[in-house]
Amino acid sequence: MTNAPAQSGSGIAARAAAASAPPYLRALNPEQRAAVETLDGPLLVLAGAGTGKTRVLTTRLAHILAQRKAWPGEILAVTFTNKAAREMKERIGGLIGGMVEGMTWLGTFHSIGVKMLRRHAELVGLKSDFSILDTDDQLRLLKQLIQAEGIDEKRWPARQLAAHIDGWKNRGLTPDKVPAGEGAAYANGKGAQLYRDYQARLKVLNAVDFGDLLLESLRLFQENPDVLAGYQKKFRYMLVDEYQDTNVAQYLWLRLLAQGHRNICCVGDDDQSIYGWRGAEVDNILRFEKDFPGACVIRLESNYRSTPHILGAASGLIAHNEGRLGKTLRTDQNAGEKVRVRGHWDGDEEASAIGEDIEQAQRAGTSLEEVAILVRASFQMRAFEDRFITLGLPYRVVGGPRFYERAEIRDALAYLKVTMSPDNDLAFERIINVPKRGIGDNSVQKIHAIARATGTSLHRAALDIVQTEELPNKARKALADLLASFARWRTQVDTLPHTEVAEIILDESGYTEMHQQDKDPKAPSRLENLKELVRSMNEFETMEGFLEHIALVMDVEQSGEQEEKASIMTLHAAKGLEFDTVFLPGWEEGLFPHQRALDESGKAGLEEERRLAYVGITRARKACTISFAQNRRVHAMWQTALPSRFVDELPASHVDVDAMSSSYGGYNLGGADRFGGSRFDDFKPFNSGYNTPGWKRAQARHADGSALRSSPHIIEGTLTTSDAGATSYARGDRVFHQKFGPGTVTHVDGNKLSISFDKAGDKRVLDSFVSRA
DNA sequence: GTCCTAAATTTTTTT
DNA sequence: AATTTAGGAC
């Protein structure tokens, strides 16, 4: 921006305005201030990295409230991550005080979706206490459906189907809207049908998956104009953070809501769109002006974060992308250090070198809190962890293996879920035989069969079956005990504090004991995790509140850390953060850009990878070190890699190549006279036009994959089509039972029959297990 | 039904 | 290399 700052703006009016402006506006630059004060009508704020985006968002919110344009409850503010939502809440709280509490509609797309769906559950075929499946539940469910269809799971992995379904949901496609060609892409045309089955099953389970939180909210609006109109009227102002990451479903949802007051403000940066694989459409931001006619667009281009060299390197890199709106970031800081580029012999050496750098920085007075290592893929983290442990360098892994995804936590949660809502079949199935209590696959299958035949939940079916002799004695006893325990725990929920009940459940179920007996070296840490789980429940009023929270926030809040630590995280997790010193290791072809991104999305994939690189560099305030290794251990084998093409694309004037790295000698950067020529001349194994050989490979794979075996063989399933709905049996009827053989009905009690079997004697069985003889 | 051993598969990024 | 899955013995 070449204009003078607003404070010295021309005219008396401007000065008067400045003088009377509320204090929170004074600290803003002119563009930021415009973004805050342009309240009415659609507004797109293109906020480059480090240009004070969050500040603008929060100030804008405070401004709306201060101007009494709307009540807190009339503002819809959506973010993508819980972290962002939390941060925004805190910062607004700092500006407007207790009023934040009234901001009920500030949250992630998903959490707002849940809130709306719970209110109007019956309109989309759910009950308001529906449960939310995570990826693991989703996968297990899909596996069951795939098996029921008799499809070979090896050939058509459930993961793949899950990916398809996710993709459709992200694009706002219900099963009937899936394009025929795409539905056929999975399991010889069964994809769309499986999607339909899956959705039907979810409804029966009274459950939704992550994608549904958006898709079903969207459907709610599309099919219920009155509901939509209500929300349109309610939300006087709408704010959307990270708009470049919205997918089609979210976009449609926003657009419907914005038809009301039309005061929608979207903030984003097309250069930081890194979630294309999750369905994000950069296009949404690119065509904002078309979608919202008369929209105002404001660019924030003053960078307050990084030094010119860092900014220059990042800008030069991202300039290689074609599909972008384009912007020029400026900074008035002093030049600072150039971005360092360093090569290493292998990944271990890279880790050692970075470890030394960090120690040196630490001695020079840098706080470890200001140091971050940003990796492309999480497997890279290990080398650093190993190294830092031997160095005694404190570190923290951000967003690593998630707390709530650990098996022991999920098991414990399943217990709690069944206690709270017994009909949660997936949770029930998960723990029915954990710890081992003698209820094996066969017994579970039987319970399943009854549940299916009678159209009830597994829990109800289990209650029925224990009154019979269908199950082996051991299993029957175990199941009856388990059911009695759940009944008992349920009553305790009302009388005892929820953390206490949780402890009782884990204890009495034998779950804790199972881990105490376990001789696995990791067992103690699992027990520790269970304790942590109970501890974290303390922050919630009720068990329900706790379970709702973790369904959406898959992470546990890191609290009360005293020690300073260096951060290790993925580039994706780093978005929105900043550090004085940033290390970007692993810039090698195949890893970064990742081969799979190239294979699956070709040029679009490459450009997304480049944006990821851009995000990485722009996290740095003062120092940025990029490195690559010639050799890296991938599985068990060593693989040689070439430096990333991104290294080449960094503008020479902002980069320092450090050839002094210890055993770097073997790696000849630029031929014999590497200081003479252009630094990376001999590195260029790729043409400037990106051809992606992997893409062809992927196609070839696809081709032979689907062509090989002609058709999936169909396993004749024993479909239990019982006479559930038909007339019940009567006393004296002759019946046949798979296991006990022929017999005569002696007594009828609902769906439970007492039968005198010719060979096996008197037994009680469920009607769904016998047929008329 | 459970436990033990062998084999296969895995690693991109996440609400 | 590590973790999950399948198969086989008990």
Side-chain angles (χ1 to χ4, degrees):
Chain A
M1 195 94 166
T2 47
N3 308 5
Q7 284 82 344
S8 61
S10 59
I12 297 160
R15 226 170 301 143
S20 67
Y24 56 78
L25 287 180
R26 285 189 208 134
L28 302 177
N29 71 29
E31 311 127 324
Q32 290 176 329
R33 190 159 166 179
V36 168
E37 292 190 302
T38 309
L39 289 183
D40 295 315
L43 170 68
L44 176 65
V45 180
L46 290 171
T51 54
K53 180 196 70 170
T54 312
R55 171 179 229 166
V56 164
L57 267 174
T58 50
T59 312
R60 185 181 164 91
L61 264 168
H63 190 57
I64 291 170
L65 293 170
Q67 298 285 307
R68 307 239 157 206
K69 291 276 199 175
W71 293 107
E74 295 172 328
I75 301 172
L76 175 73
V78 256
T79 63
F80 270 82
T81 63
N82 295 294
K83 199 166 64 178
R86 208 183 313 135
E87 191 190 334
M88 199 185 289
K89 218 165 221 172
E90 274 166 21
R91 288 179 63 165
I92 296 168
L95 287 172
I96 63 170
M99 277 230 278
V100 236
E101 301 309 321
M103 289 216 52
T104 38
W105 301 102
L106 188 166
T108 61
F109 275 101
H110 298 266
S111 67
I112 289 170
V114 174
K115 198 173 284 180
M116 289 182 177
L117 283 178
R118 292 226 189 273
R119 283 195 184 175
H120 311 282
E122 69 293 346
L123 293 177
V124 290
L126 293 163
K127 285 180 264 167
S128 75
D129 64 339
F130 61 81
S131 54
I132 302 164
L133 306 195
D134 56 34
T135 347
D136 205 64
D137 295 325
Q138 192 186 3
L139 229 46
R140 277 192 297 145
L141 191 56
L142 286 172
K143 267 184 194 158
Q144 289 176 7
L145 290 170
I146 289 168
Q147 263 167 3
E149 276 291 313
I151 294 168
D152 183 4
E153 248 183 281
K154 287 273 165 53
R155 178 149 307 281
W156 301 104
R159 301 187 62 95
Q160 200 184 326
L161 179 59
H164 276 120
I165 291 179
D166 258 3
W168 289 324
K169 289 187 172 175
N170 285 335
R171 282 155 56 202
L173 299 173
T174 47
D176 48 304
K177 289 191 195 131
V178 173
E182 287 185 46
Y186 182 86
N188 299 328
K190 290 190 177 159
Q193 186 55 45
L194 280 165
Y195 178 21
R196 197 183 309 274
D197 294 346
Y198 171 67
Q199 290 306 104
R201 189 89 184 93
L202 286 179
K203 288 290 182 300
V204 172
L205 290 168
N206 190 32
V208 295
D209 63 18
F210 272 117
D212 281 338
L213 294 179
L214 303 170
L215 184 62
E216 294 288 354
S217 320
L218 179 62
R219 200 161 67 84
L220 172 72
F221 287 160
Q222 287 169 337
E223 293 175 3
N224 302 278
D226 50 321
V227 175
L228 172 62
Y231 284 108
Q232 283 177 335
K233 203 163 155 226
K234 177 199 284 284
F235 298 132
R236 309 184 89 89
Y237 290 92
M238 294 168 59
L239 264 99
V240 187
D241 192 12
E242 307 279 13
Y243 188 62
Q244 77 283 353
D245 288 333
T246 47
N247 61 36
V248 172
Q250 288 159 337
Y251 162 77
L252 293 171
W253 186 85
L254 286 170
R255 212 176 55 168
L256 281 176
L257 282 174
Q259 300 308 316
H261 295 279
R262 298 183 52 76
N263 296 326
I264 183 171
C265 168
C266 295
V267 181
D269 179 1
D270 51 315
D271 288 334
Q272 294 188 62
S273 165
I274 54 175
Y275 285 104
W277 50 274
R278 209 174 75 187
E281 291 276 342
V282 211
D283 219 37
N284 288 347
I285 201 169
L286 302 181
R287 55 156 205 251
F288 184 86
E289 293 176 80
K290 229 185 281 167
D291 290 328
F292 298 98
C296 187
V297 178
I298 295 174
R299 283 182 148 79
L300 303 183
E301 297 184 312
S302 299
N303 177 294
Y304 297 102
R305 181 185 296 159
S306 313
T307 62
H309 278 312
I310 290 170
L311 220 49
S315 303
L317 178 68
I318 199 66
H320 285 83
N321 272 3
E322 286 171 16
R324 55 191 294 257
L325 292 170
K327 53 187 147 357
T328 325
L329 293 183
R330 295 174 307 269
T331 175
D332 46 18
Q333 292 190 38
N334 295 326
E337 287 171 39
K338 290 186 175 182
V339 170
R340 241 183 340 162
V341 174
R342 195 161 55 174
H344 299 276
W345 171 250
D346 64 16
D348 291 337
E349 191 194 288
E350 183 181 49
S352 311
I354 290 177
E356 274 169 39
D357 280 351
I358 294 177
E359 286 189 317
Q360 202 181 349
Q362 197 181 11
R363 279 194 295 273
T366 309
S367 158
L368 287 182
E369 288 294 319
E370 286 305 332
V371 176
I373 298 164
L374 311 181
V375 297
R376 172 68 246 262
S378 37
F379 77 88
Q380 293 172 262
M381 292 180 180
R382 245 201 41 206
F384 293 99
E385 292 195 62
D386 287 349
R387 187 66 199 152
F388 291 178
I389 286 169
T390 57
L391 286 177
L393 191 70
Y395 69 90
R396 146 191 340 118
V397 171
V398 179
R402 287 143 176 281
F403 185 69
Y404 291 116
E405 274 169 22
R406 293 165 206 261
E408 65 273 19
I409 299 301
R410 298 177 45 82
D411 288 339
L413 289 174
Y415 270 103
L416 301 183
K417 285 179 192 168
V418 176
T419 306
M420 300 309 292
S421 33
D423 293 340
N424 187 331
D425 281 4
L426 285 160
F428 187 67
E429 201 179 354
R430 184 180 179 96
I431 46 81
I432 187 167
N433 201 28
V434 179
K436 296 264 188 306
R437 31 173 86 85
I439 308 171
D441 267 358
N442 283 330
S443 305
V444 174
Q445 284 313 314
K446 267 192 188 143
I447 301 171
H448 251 301
I450 297 177
R452 228 172 340 190
T454 55
T456 57
S457 66
L458 289 180
H459 183 259
R460 286 252 23 117
L463 284 171
D464 278 346
I465 206 170
V466 291
Q467 306 205 13
T468 72
E469 281 149 70
E470 290 292 347
L471 297 179
N473 260 336
K474 191 179 164 213
R476 179 182 167 189
K477 170 115 187 12
L479 186 57
D481 282 352
L482 181 66
L483 292 168
S485 298
F486 273 120
R488 190 174 63 249
W489 297 329
R490 206 160 303 130
T491 63
Q492 288 172 327
V493 171
D494 299 326
T495 55
L496 298 171
H498 58 291
T499 47
E500 208 167 302
V501 180
E503 277 170 345
I504 290 173
I505 293 175
L506 292 181
D507 199 33
E508 292 184 357
S509 63
Y511 193 72
T512 342
E513 197 191 340
M514 179 182 93
H515 286 297
Q516 280 161 355
Q517 303 292 319
D518 194 346
K519 52 200 180 303
D520 188 300
K522 281 177 220 135
S525 91
R526 297 209 177 103
L527 282 167
E528 199 48 49
N529 287 335
L530 289 173
K531 274 189 206 148
E532 176 62 34
L533 177 74
V534 176
R535 224 173 294 148
S536 68
M537 289 177 71
N538 264 320
E539 296 176 25
F540 296 85
E541 300 280 317
T542 62
M543 185 88 86
E544 288 95 335
F546 172 70
L547 290 175
E548 176 83 15
H549 173 79
I550 55 163
L552 293 170
V553 185
M554 291 300 288
D555 233 339
V556 76
E557 266 146 74
Q558 302 196 343
S559 54
E561 278 191 84
Q562 297 301 316
E563 198 183 9
E564 287 187 356
K565 291 172 176 172
S567 300
I568 306 175
M569 67 185 97
T570 64
L571 286 160
H572 284 88
K575 189 158 80 153
L577 304 178
E578 52 184 298
F579 302 88
D580 281 345
T581 305
V582 168
F583 293 90
L584 301 168
W587 282 41
E588 296 133 38
E589 280 296 303
L591 176 59
F592 193 31
H594 200 281
Q595 192 58 48
R596 238 167 110 171
L598 264 34
D599 285 355
E600 284 167 13
S601 316
K603 185 174 161 187
L606 175 65
E607 295 211 337
E608 179 153 318
E609 296 285 292
R610 196 178 278 115
R611 290 193 290 268
L612 202 45
Y614 175 78
V615 168
I617 299 173
T618 53
R619 296 310 95 191
R621 280 195 284 252
K622 295 179 186 154
C624 178
T625 303
I626 292 166
S627 58
F628 53 87
Q630 188 181 6
N631 297 290
R632 198 170 283 279
R633 207 169 31 199
V634 177
H635 296 139
M637 288 173 312
W638 285 94
Q639 284 194 347
T640 323
L642 296 163
S644 169
R645 67 190 80 184
F646 297 155
V647 172
D648 263 331
E649 294 170 0
L650 296 168
S653 54
H654 297 296
V655 172
D656 249 346
V657 178
D658 178 3
M660 294 304 138
S661 176
S662 47
S663 48
Y664 185 55
Y667 199 75
N668 202 341
L669 254 177
D673 180 22
R674 59 165 298 271
F675 295 105
S678 146
R679 302 157 305 152
F680 298 120
D681 275 357
D682 290 48
F683 266 147
K684 278 201 174 166
F686 14 75
N687 312 326
S688 45
Y690 330 113
N691 55 352
T692 55
W695 200 76
K696 292 182 194 119
R697 232 182 304 139
Q699 282 196 317
R701 263 208 303 270
H702 244 275
D704 86 11
S706 49
L708 255 177
R709 245 162 263 178
S710 48
S711 64
H713 36 246
I714 308 226
I715 300 160
E716 212 43 60
T718 47
L719 286 174
T720 35
T721 41
S722 83
D723 312 324
T727 44
S728 203
Y729 296 89
R731 226 180 126 213
D733 284 357
R734 287 291 289 169
V735 292
F736 183 82
H737 187 279
Q738 282 291 338
K739 194 163 86 194
F740 303 133
T744 311
V745 178
T746 58
H747 183 74
V748 181
D749 174 18
N751 57 347
K752 290 183 273 292
L753 309 174
S754 299
I755 298 171
S756 170
F757 287 103
D758 300 352
K759 297 229 171 68
D762 289 355
K763 304 272 181 198
R764 299 192 71 198
V765 301
L766 287 173
D767 63 355
S768 44
F769 277 96
V770 298
S771 56
R772 287 182 194 281

